[in-house]
Amino acid sequence: MTMNNVPGKDKGSVKLYALSTCVWCKKVKKLLNDLKVAYDYIDVDLLEEEAKAEAKEEIIKWNPPCSFPTLVLGDKKCIVGFDEGKINRELG
């Protein structure tokens, strides 16, 4: 499973699991871009079945309901949904 990289300020590992059609996922991407944070993302709905299953397994480790967007920070914390305050506190 290859993630797309967006260059920016290094804030550690920042991984976003998103859906290409999700408004809240787009808001998280925009906020990360506005914060100029380097991050990796993947639009799970655009993956082939095998990669999609692999991505879902990874998401479920952090967010058992497997909802989107799921933002994993430093392989230690997870922010589910578009929570601007939390994202700003962690990465701003």
Side-chain angles (χ1 to χ4, degrees), residues 45-87:
D45 58 318
L46 300 179
L47 297 173
E48 298 292 327
E49 288 305 316
E50 187 175 319
K52 189 182 295 186
E54 183 182 341
K56 285 182 177 179
E57 281 181 30
E58 185 64 28
I59 295 166
I60 288 170
K61 291 179 191 172
W62 295 97
N63 173 17
C66 197
S67 55
F68 297 92
T70 296
L71 185 63
V72 179
L73 307 174
D75 290 329
K76 295 178 183 171
K77 294 181 181 178
C78 175
I79 299 173
V80 177
F82 177 66
D83 190 330
E84 189 172 2
K86 276 188 185 176
I87 295 170

Side-chain angles (χ1 to χ4, degrees), residues 10-83:
D10 183 8
K11 297 282 187 169
S13 173
V14 178
K15 295 179 186 172
L16 174 64
Y17 296 92
L19 298 175
S20 66
T21 57
C22 168
V23 171
W24 301 110
C25 300
K26 290 177 184 172
K27 287 180 177 262
V28 171
K29 287 178 187 173
K30 181 179 182 323
L31 179 57
L32 293 174
N33 290 337
D34 289 347
L35 292 171
K36 299 182 177 16
V37 172
Y39 65 98
D40 295 318
Y41 75 93
I42 196 159
D43 290 319
V44 176
D45 58 318
L46 300 179
L47 297 173
E48 298 292 327
E49 288 305 316
E50 187 175 319
K52 189 182 295 186
E54 183 182 341
K56 285 182 177 179
E57 281 181 30
E58 185 64 28
I59 295 166
I60 288 170
K61 291 179 191 172
W62 295 97
N63 173 17
C66 197
S67 55
F68 297 92
T70 296
L71 185 63
V72 179
L73 307 174
D75 290 329
K76 295 178 183 171
K77 294 181 181 178
C78 175
I79 299 173
V80 177
F82 177 66
D83 190 330

